[in-house]
Amino acid sequence: MRRRLADVSAPARLAADDEGLGRDELALATRNHGLPLEAMRHDITPPGLHYVLTHYDIPYVPDDTDWRLTVDGRVRRALSLSPEELRGRPAVTTRVTMECAGNGRALLTPRPVSQPWLVEAVGTAEWTGVPLRLLLAEAGVDPEAVDVVCTGADHGVERGVEQDYQRALPIDVATGQDPQVLVAHTMNGAPLPPQHGSPLRLVVPGWYGMAQVKWLRQITVADTRFTGFQQSVAYRIRQEPWEEGVPVTRIAPRALLVPPGFPDFMSRARVVAPGRVPLQGRAWSGGAPVTAVQVSTDGGTTWHQADLEPGRGHRWAWRRWSWNWPAVPGEHVLSARAHDAAGHAQPLEQPWNRGGFANNLVQRVPVLCAERPVHG
Amino acid sequence: MRRRLADVSAPARLAADDEGLGRDELALATRNHGLPLEAMRHDITPPGLHYVLTHYDIPYVPDDTDWRLTVDGRVRRALSLSPEELRGRPAVTTRVTMECAGNGRALLTPRPVSQPWLVEAVGTAEWTGVPLRLLLAEAGVDPEAVDVVCTGADHGVERGVEQDYQRALPIDVATGQDPQVLVAHTMNGAPLPPQHGSPLRLVVPGWYGMAQVKWLRQITVADTRFTGFQQSVAYRIRQEPWEEGVPVTRIAPRALLVPPGFPDFMSRARVVAPGRVPLQGRAWSGGAPVTAVQVSTDGGTTWHQADLEPGRGHRWAWRRWSWNWPAVPGEHVLSARAHDAAGHAQPLEQPWNRGGFANNLVQRVPVLCAERPVHG
């Protein structure tokens, strides 16, 4: 008879070479969900289509009257704020493309056993809230501050460690102005949905999803480095389990295609008719603005320069790209490759690590150009 | 070089005994999504948490000005209606629990290879629209009418057959008043989201999801039985592939638990503290009202009668049930079992068929009651 938390909470592991997806991975895949890639046609992801990853349960908050966000720790004056108070303050709205740090994990060889994303763990929303730097200024941050620890109301166990979800931001990121971190109360003009952190969440433009603490109830200024589970155990880039590893931070550049033509239900293979096929998609990078997108229709042998829409002031949001493909009958593999102003480009070989984090391998989209006319 | 639709569109198959989930099944699981079961606490499923299954792509309809719904075939006067015209008509609102016909499929042995639901393909919404029977009356249905064929704008290929998604309702169901079929334009008081059929969809209370045609653009009255792919090939209950099979229609009774305590991230196992653990969940049936829910905490050996909330006039929606569990340390398997007024109860052994349809096997929820105090 098992009676301890460790009994239900196995260590991290890699799948064996021939190991199909397990029921544990499936249980995560059926409750978390990605963006159906055809919905990248929308600049702002429609409600319910933005990717969602929750480590534990979605907290049940039918009424936020009693909710308090505290700002405490190494501050001169602790704050306790209700969502209503925060909604009454001057607000900033930022369009942000958010991506899960584990996006692409299920395509890795070997496959880290965790949330099994293919490439769809992304979405773009307009988040409205109060800049975190203003709340910290109001509380008066100790000059010795190092980290700002953010705690959510979501509670669970992970590799034997019972915890509330907690992540820290370095003090310079938390108080930075570019990007400006938000305590958001509004998503696309409406109150946050439960799965996106109702009533309050952190939004850290340009960073992977693990930093965007949902169901935010405490912000603690610390004068030492935070070493909680999600900071020092999870979300580190390691080749071997004993390494200290490098923290996962900003989103690596990525481009994805709106899948052309129409799909087969089961294989999800795409079918197009011969002739001019307009290709389009989105590209983003958290490190530096996207500067170019290249497209290949032959599996990466040759590349074409795509048209890239201007950013229109939305530095932290994806940009649309397009290119016209003269399709001929046969099988093709389509790819798009983003480059950013820091000189980073998506890798053509998988950037593997044990957690399956920040993997921005170029996408491969198999397409059948059918000989006979199709409706696509 | 493969050049035909059949090349990307394999026949239906069953997984081998030891076969883990494939990438094709995962691709469906990451884009379609279930209801995180803790969200059953809400009477009405919050936006974005209702289950979604789309066979092909979600059509892109940024503006429905040019959308037309036609009513044609064996009618005296064909109709062509815009969403705006339909929104201007007297409307009916019905609270409906909708469930995918394939819910539970991934738990079957052997497993039919298709959308791999565990048990979470369900959701409850208030749908507002115009009764289909009124539109059909206005068009003037031929007395010889047999089927009403509904066509969506979603287009794809399935087992080699290129198609728009099409399903028929028998004329008596289409014109019935209990339930009353709706051409819905509103979900929970807002326009339909893209993934739920924007701008118009069918809502057939009490029937599985395959009947609820989304992106509805044509309603055709026919004087012969409809034999399209989704009617005569898919969505039939068969033991062997050569059987004609029985059509999938109304939702079989099912009860599910709101998972108690808190989860382990990876195993999704539940952890509770010893003592009184309030259990709750939902129960529904499309065939007849739910009359009782029983709860077991010992894997189905003994059963306890749960409290069942009154239906409050929402015949087609789930009902809440509750029961207090005196939990003692150790491992337990929790189940709930729904009974309906037609005398149907959930089976304790899997009701297997090749498509994995209408499988309402009693849920099993492993729970660890930990010896030491936990925060759960």
Side-chain angles (χ1 to χ4, degrees):
Chain A
M1 184 66 86
R2 304 184 304 172
R3 297 191 171 190
R4 294 171 313 139
L5 287 184
D7 295 330
V8 296
S9 198
R13 70 179 190 91
L14 305 176
D17 283 357
D18 58 348
E19 185 182 336
L21 217 72
R23 190 170 291 175
D24 50 355
E25 291 166 288
L26 176 58
L28 285 167
T30 56
R31 57 177 274 116
N32 298 311
H33 72 96
L35 175 72
L37 295 184
E38 66 272 24
M40 287 193 299
R41 291 191 176 93
H42 302 266
D43 289 333
I44 305 288
T45 304
L49 292 180
H50 193 292
Y51 98 89
V52 172
L53 179 90
T54 59
H55 279 240
Y56 315 123
D57 285 359
I58 299 169
Y60 180 63
V61 189
D63 174 1
D64 64 18
T65 312
D66 294 331
W67 192 276
R68 287 297 176 278
L69 171 64
T70 58
V71 181
D72 56 21
R74 300 301 299 253
V75 295
R76 280 197 299 280
R77 186 167 67 95
L79 310 179
S80 173
L81 301 156
S82 70
E84 195 181 347
E85 283 174 290
L86 285 163
R87 286 188 288 261
R89 292 183 176 220
V92 168
T93 296
T94 310
R95 187 180 295 189
V96 176
T97 293
M98 222 177 258
E99 183 177 7
C100 185
N103 203 13
R105 178 184 289 124
L107 296 170
L108 291 173
T109 306
R111 182 180 82 247
V113 173
S114 184
Q115 166 72 36
W117 296 120
L118 296 168
V119 294
E120 59 291 301
V122 66
T124 296
E126 300 217 308
W127 300 97
T128 302
V130 179
L132 176 59
R133 66 184 179 84
L134 299 183
L135 296 180
L136 292 173
E138 187 175 328
V141 171
D142 189 314
E144 304 295 306
V146 170
D147 265 356
V148 176
V149 184
C150 299
T151 306
D154 41 336
H155 184 88
V157 55
E158 207 158 337
R159 303 193 216 164
V161 181
E162 190 183 342
Q163 59 191 285
D164 291 339
Y165 188 87
Q166 282 192 310
R167 281 279 309 183
L169 287 173
I171 187 71
D172 60 319
V173 174
T175 57
Q177 294 202 48
D178 187 33
Q180 187 162 239
V181 177
L182 298 181
V183 173
H185 47 66
T186 297
M187 181 185 188
N188 301 328
L192 302 186
Q195 70 274 31
H196 288 292
S198 173
L200 299 171
R201 76 173 297 172
L202 216 60
V203 172
V204 189
W207 285 53
Y208 281 114
M210 77 281 148
Q212 328 277 343
V213 179
K214 298 190 283 281
W215 312 291
L216 185 64
R217 58 179 185 74
Q218 191 171 19
I219 295 170
T220 303
V221 177
D223 57 7
T224 55
R225 282 274 164 239
F226 175 66
T227 59
F229 181 90
Q230 304 294 346
Q231 207 89 15
S232 53
V233 180
Y235 296 114
R236 311 281 295 191
I237 293 181
R238 300 183 178 96
Q239 295 299 311
E240 299 294 344
W242 54 81
E243 292 174 16
E244 182 186 345
V246 173
V248 179
T249 57
R250 286 177 180 242
I251 299 174
R254 192 194 291 272
L256 293 176
L257 286 113
V258 169
F262 59 81
D264 175 62
F265 170 66
M266 193 61 226
S267 71
R268 306 316 292 174
R270 309 296 306 189
V271 180
V272 300
R276 175 182 166 279
V277 175
L279 300 180
Q280 61 164 304
R282 301 282 177 171
W284 61 93
S285 170
V290 170
T291 50
V293 173
Q294 295 173 296
V295 177
S296 173
T297 60
D298 56 8
T301 306
T302 58
W303 293 90
H304 312 272
Q305 197 77 7
D307 287 328
L308 184 62
E309 272 197 359
R312 300 203 174 91
H314 299 297
R315 157 66 188 100
W316 306 107
W318 58 25
R319 289 168 68 184
R320 187 194 304 266
W321 58 263
S322 58
W323 187 72
N324 286 321
W325 173 36
V328 295
E331 288 181 289
H332 308 274
V333 174
L334 274 48
S335 293
R337 189 183 192 203
H339 300 252
D340 75 16
H344 297 295
Q346 288 182 257
L348 302 174
E349 303 288 334
Q350 67 169 14
W352 191 89
N353 59 78
R354 294 190 75 79
F357 297 123
N359 157 32
N360 62 336
L361 177 66
V362 160
Q363 182 193 22
R364 292 173 64 87
V365 182
V367 176
L368 174 73
C369 181
E371 277 177 333
R372 301 197 193 169
V374 287
H375 290 102
Chain B
M1 184 65 86
R2 304 183 305 173
R3 298 190 170 193
R4 294 171 313 138
L5 287 184
D7 294 331
V8 295
S9 197
R13 70 179 189 91
L14 305 176
D17 283 356
D18 58 349
E19 185 182 336
L21 217 73
R23 189 170 292 176
D24 50 354
E25 291 166 288
L26 176 58
L28 286 167
T30 56
R31 57 177 276 115
N32 297 311
H33 73 95
L35 175 71
L37 294 184
E38 67 272 26
M40 287 192 300
R41 292 191 176 93
H42 302 266
D43 290 334
I44 305 288
T45 304
L49 293 179
H50 193 291
Y51 98 88
V52 173
L53 179 90
T54 60
H55 279 240
Y56 316 123
D57 285 358
I58 299 169
Y60 181 62
V61 189
D63 173 2
D64 65 18
T65 312
D66 294 332
W67 191 276
R68 288 297 176 278
L69 171 64
T70 58
V71 182
D72 56 20
R74 300 300 298 254
V75 295
R76 280 196 300 278
R77 188 167 65 96
L79 309 179
S80 173
L81 301 156
S82 70
E84 195 181 347
E85 283 174 290
L86 285 163
R87 286 189 287 261
R89 292 183 176 220
V92 168
T93 296
T94 310
R95 186 179 297 188
V96 176
T97 294
M98 222 176 259
E99 183 177 7
C100 184
N103 203 13
R105 178 184 289 124
L107 296 171
L108 291 173
T109 306
R111 183 180 82 247
V113 174
S114 184
Q115 166 72 36
W117 296 121
L118 297 168
V119 295
E120 60 291 301
V122 66
T124 296
E126 300 217 310
W127 300 97
T128 302
V130 179
L132 176 59
R133 65 184 179 85
L134 299 184
L135 296 179
L136 291 173
E138 187 175 328
V141 171
D142 189 315
E144 303 295 306
V146 171
D147 266 356
V148 176
V149 184
C150 298
T151 305
D154 42 335
H155 183 88
V157 55
E158 208 159 338
R159 302 193 215 164
V161 181
E162 190 183 342
Q163 58 192 286
D164 291 339
Y165 188 87
Q166 281 192 310
R167 281 279 308 183
L169 287 173
I171 186 70
D172 60 320
V173 174
T175 57
Q177 296 202 46
D178 187 32
Q180 187 163 239
V181 178
L182 299 182
V183 173
H185 47 67
T186 298
M187 181 186 187
N188 301 328
L192 302 186
Q195 70 273 32
H196 288 292
S198 173
L200 298 171
R201 76 174 297 171
L202 215 60
V203 172
V204 189
W207 284 54
Y208 282 113
M210 76 283 147
Q212 327 278 342
V213 179
K214 298 190 284 282
W215 311 290
L216 185 65
R217 58 178 186 73
Q218 190 172 21
I219 295 170
T220 304
V221 177
D223 58 6
T224 55
R225 282 273 164 240
F226 176 65
T227 59
F229 181 89
Q230 304 294 347
Q231 207 88 15
S232 53
V233 180
Y235 295 114
R236 312 281 295 191
I237 293 180
R238 300 182 178 96
Q239 296 299 312
E240 299 294 344
W242 55 81
E243 291 174 17
E244 182 186 346
V246 173
V248 179
T249 57
R250 286 177 179 240
I251 298 174
R254 191 193 292 270
L256 292 177
L257 286 114
V258 169
F262 60 80
D264 174 63
F265 170 66
M266 193 61 225
S267 70
R268 306 316 292 176
R270 309 297 306 190
V271 180
V272 300
R276 174 181 166 280
V277 176
L279 300 180
Q280 62 164 305
R282 301 282 176 170
W284 61 92
S285 170
V290 170
T291 49
V293 173
Q294 293 174 297
V295 177
S296 173
T297 60
D298 56 8
T301 305
T302 58
W303 294 90
H304 312 272
Q305 197 77 7
D307 287 329
L308 185 62
E309 271 197 358
R312 298 202 174 93
H314 298 297
R315 158 66 188 101
W316 304 107
W318 58 23
R319 289 169 69 184
R320 187 194 304 267
W321 59 262
S322 59
W323 186 73
N324 287 321
W325 173 36
V328 294
E331 288 181 288
H332 307 274
V333 174
L334 273 48
S335 293
R337 189 183 192 202
H339 300 252
D340 75 15
H344 297 296
Q346 287 183 258
L348 303 174
E349 303 288 334
Q350 67 169 14
W352 191 89
N353 59 78
R354 294 191 75 80
F357 297 122
N359 156 32
N360 62 337
L361 177 66
V362 161
Q363 182 193 22
R364 291 172 65 86
V365 181
V367 176
L368 173 73
C369 180
E371 277 178 333
R372 301 196 193 170
V374 287
H375 291 101

